[in-house]
Amino acid sequence: MSVPDPITTAVLQNRLSAIAEEVGEAMLRTSYSQILNTARDFSIGLLDAQCQLVAQADHIPAHVGALPTALRAVVDAFPHPRPGDVYMSNDPYYGGSHLPDLTAFVPVFSDGILIFWSVLRAHQSDIGGATYGAYNPMATEIWQEGVRVPPLRMTDENGQIRPDLVELLVANVRHGSDFRGDLAAMIGAARLAERRIAAVAVEFGRKVLMDSVKAMLDGAERQARAIVSTWKDGVYYGESALDDDGFGRTNITVRATVTVAGDGIIVDLTKSDPQAMGFVNSSYAAMISAATMAFFYLLDPDCQRNSGAFRAMTVKAKRGTVVWPNDGAAVTMGPSHPSNEIIEAIVVALTGACPDRVMGGWGRRMRVALSGRDPRNGRNFIWHMFHARPGGGASIEGNGWQGAGEWHSAGGVKFGSIELAEARFPLLFEQHEFRANSGGAGLHTGGDGGELWLRVETAEEGQANTGGEGVRHGARGINGGEDGLPHYYVLHRPNAEPFVLPSKITGVPLPPGSRLHVLSGGGGGWGERA
């Protein structure tokens, strides 16, 4: 292998990143459902033939860190991909995050040689199962959470999408029209990346491109190791607790023992609590992604976020724990929780090694999904609440971002236009603003969460369900900073007492005129108050 010049490597690094960004814009503008074309709950990764992440755009970190594991499962199932192929998978036990995250894989060839994979993961508005909206807080096994798609070739020998497989998937979800459109958007966007990368290989030459990819990965490893080498060697411990599993078990704890030695770290999660009965377990891929996120959050912003930098970290975990359950466990909340808790435990542990790099905890995810019939058009709807985002954690640089969201998405998930939501759904936003003083106090204060008053303007009774965390534990303060306030959600129904929503409940009646009052948690503070 020849060593490419640094300028060419830098040009190609930015070219690949630009392709990922362009694909994201294509997905945003062609997808059908609100969770994708408004909340932007999707991500793109460009991986090489060895399943190494090379480039990504600023989307959802929890998605991207899991893509190498998912691609390896596809390659194991289909070791001889063909030009024009499209593969699909969502199964958490084959590298998926959770069932709602359907992933498209498209191989990229140059002169008949496999050089890249275009991989796009997108959260579906519904994926079947016992409850609408893809989250079932009463699930005790994955078969109650939705349709499982292990690695599946979606194309025939001519590279055409097989309509029978599309119909099989559509038949297993609610709102099949939106699902069909989102599936087409995913495939179209992934194939756009295929064309763009193939064009780069022609322009620069396949050898130059692949030599540059190796240089990108090796350079990121050197940069990550150089940063870690400045941290204080030692063995450090941190933990973070989940509220509950929805079945009465509380304070389920993630425990991280982190060893810093020279220019590498070992993250040991084997002492985490046994797996939960409910859906707050993490798939293996989601656990690896969470540990990767924690590591990347402590590196320099200009460090390339690719598989080369991953090489400076080793992760250990044990089967049967909440961070890596036995096959068949329910895992839908996994990419959010315990992902947040895995990140938090690792960051807390590394306070002793790099105190100026750690940050306060980010708010936890508590989703609400509303379903019913829109009286304006007679159509059934599913609305996922992404508004009133929690606050981000503070750092040595200053206060946390208000309404930034959760640690696992790091601001990548958006709440979108209120006016557009009111136009698309029978909802009225009476109030939507920051929740004052909800961030943890400290030398620097955690970002505030949000306050929302939402009226449901249906003519028939609908339903609500919740799925999430953060009504018991707020975001962690760090280096002497205080914790952020936890969530507090209250449903006000006509002629009924206010109902404080637990974080895991399904089938809550939603009469016309019901109002939801959301007080979301703030981020953790950093440092002791002066």
Side-chain angles (χ1 to χ4, degrees):
M1 186 202 84
S2 60
V3 179
D5 68 272
I7 293 176
T8 299
T9 299
V11 167
L12 286 169
Q13 176 72 69
N14 284 282
R15 189 76 166 268
L16 293 172
S17 297
I19 290 171
E21 292 171 0
E22 181 187 4
V23 171
E25 287 299 307
M27 182 65 188
L28 177 69
R29 296 169 192 280
T30 57
S31 54
Y32 277 46
S33 37
Q34 160 250 354
I35 200 169
L36 299 178
N37 62 29
T38 300
R40 306 181 183 219
D41 199 347
F42 60 81
S43 300
I44 294 92
L46 306 181
L47 290 82
D48 68 8
Q50 288 71 48
C51 304
Q52 299 180 103
L53 178 66
V54 178
Q56 60 174 301
D58 289 331
H59 292 126
I60 314 298
H63 286 168
V64 180
L67 296 184
T69 307
L71 179 56
R72 280 191 289 271
V74 169
V75 172
D76 287 345
F78 299 96
H80 304 293
R82 309 167 302 198
D85 278 351
V86 176
Y87 301 87
M88 285 283 170
S89 179
N90 74 342
D91 199 313
Y93 296 98
Y94 288 89
S97 303
H98 59 176
L99 293 180
D101 284 340
L102 188 62
T103 308
F105 307 81
V106 173
V108 182
F109 291 83
S110 175
D111 298 326
I113 297 173
L114 178 68
I115 58 170
F116 262 92
W117 287 85
S118 165
V119 185
L120 193 154
R121 177 161 290 180
H123 188 122
Q124 304 304 301
S125 181
D126 187 82
I127 202 67
T131 60
Y132 67 89
Y135 286 78
N136 180 9
M138 297 298 101
T140 59
E141 55 185 13
I142 194 170
W143 295 278
Q144 298 165 337
E145 297 190 289
V147 60
R148 296 176 68 178
V149 184
L152 176 71
R153 180 183 279 148
M154 294 289 294
T155 44
D156 61 21
E157 61 276 7
N158 298 315
Q160 300 299 309
I161 299 296
R162 288 181 52 181
D164 55 339
L165 295 181
V166 173
E167 294 308 314
L168 174 66
L169 295 175
V170 169
N172 278 279
V173 302
R174 303 165 181 87
H175 297 194
S177 176
D178 280 2
F179 181 88
R180 192 190 305 275
D182 291 336
L183 185 64
M186 291 175 64
I187 294 170
R191 281 180 159 168
L192 172 62
E194 175 194 15
R195 296 194 298 273
R196 294 289 189 261
I197 296 170
V200 170
V202 170
E203 180 180 350
F204 286 83
R206 184 180 71 251
K207 187 175 188 307
V208 171
L209 173 59
M210 301 321 297
D211 287 350
S212 293
V213 165
K214 184 178 187 307
M216 294 171 203
L217 298 172
D218 292 346
E221 178 183 6
R222 288 193 300 271
Q223 190 173 7
R225 290 189 180 280
I227 293 168
V228 173
S229 68
T230 67
W231 299 356
K232 182 180 178 181
D233 284 358
V235 180
Y236 306 96
Y237 176 79
E239 64 180 44
S240 181
L242 293 149
D243 289 347
D244 65 274
D245 68 349
F247 292 91
R249 182 178 164 200
T250 61
N251 298 324
I252 302 165
T253 303
V254 173
R255 298 179 178 88
T257 301
V258 184
T259 302
V260 179
D263 63 358
I265 71 169
I266 300 172
V267 174
D268 187 340
L269 301 171
T270 58
K271 298 297 191 294
S272 297
D273 276 356
Q275 69 187 65
M277 180 183 294
F279 67 171
V280 295
N281 301 294
S282 174
S283 71
Y284 176 84
M287 178 268 293
I288 292 295
S289 184
T292 301
M293 283 186 279
F295 183 51
F296 272 156
Y297 291 161
L298 301 177
L299 301 180
D300 293 347
D302 62 352
C303 185
Q304 292 298 325
R305 296 161 296 167
N306 62 33
S307 287
F310 298 174
R311 299 169 187 165
M313 178 183 65
T314 300
V315 180
K316 297 180 179 179
K318 185 172 70 174
R319 281 270 196 179
T321 61
V322 68
V323 302
W324 186 14
N326 294 314
D327 288 359
V331 295
T332 297
M333 275 305 301
S336 300
H337 301 284
S339 278
N340 258 37
E341 288 69 31
I342 294 169
I343 298 168
E344 193 166 86
I346 294 170
V347 170
V348 168
L350 286 170
T351 302
C354 51
D356 289 349
R357 288 181 177 267
V358 297
M359 69 294 293
W362 285 46
R364 302 190 174 197
R365 174 73 171 129
M366 182 171 165
R367 63 176 286 286
V368 177
L370 309 179
S371 72
R373 186 183 301 276
D374 190 335
R376 300 170 298 183
N377 53 31
R379 297 174 184 168
N380 293 329
F381 71 90
I382 299 174
W383 181 75
H384 296 265
M385 191 193 80
F386 286 94
H387 295 76
R389 309 292 289 162
S395 71
I396 193 173
E397 295 295 332
N399 297 338
W401 292 333
Q402 302 186 70
E406 306 83 9
W407 231 337
H408 66 275
S409 60
V413 171
K414 315 297 183 184
F415 63 73
S417 163
I418 286 174
E419 291 78 13
L420 182 59
E422 291 177 334
R424 294 179 65 178
F425 302 95
L427 304 171
L428 176 65
F429 289 75
E430 298 177 338
Q431 178 184 353
H432 189 255
E433 59 187 46
F434 294 129
R435 179 188 181 188
N437 302 315
S438 56
L443 180 63
H444 299 298
T445 304
D448 285 335
E451 180 172 8
L452 167 67
W453 276 98
L454 180 73
R455 182 185 296 275
V456 180
E457 298 191 322
T458 53
E460 306 170 36
E461 182 171 281
Q463 282 193 340
N465 65 36
T466 67
E469 278 286 319
V471 298
R472 180 189 300 265
H473 300 291
R476 181 76 67 89
I478 206 82
N479 283 340
E482 297 180 10
D483 294 353
L485 292 181
H487 299 312
Y488 187 69
Y489 290 18
V490 183
L491 180 60
H492 297 262
R493 291 175 286 201
N495 305 314
E497 292 295 316
F499 177 51
V500 178
L501 287 169
S503 59
K504 302 167 185 70
I505 190 171
T506 187
V508 179
L510 201 67
S514 296
R515 299 169 73 222
L516 179 64
H517 187 201
V518 171
L519 294 166
S520 66
W526 188 96
E528 296 183 6
R529 283 197 252 191

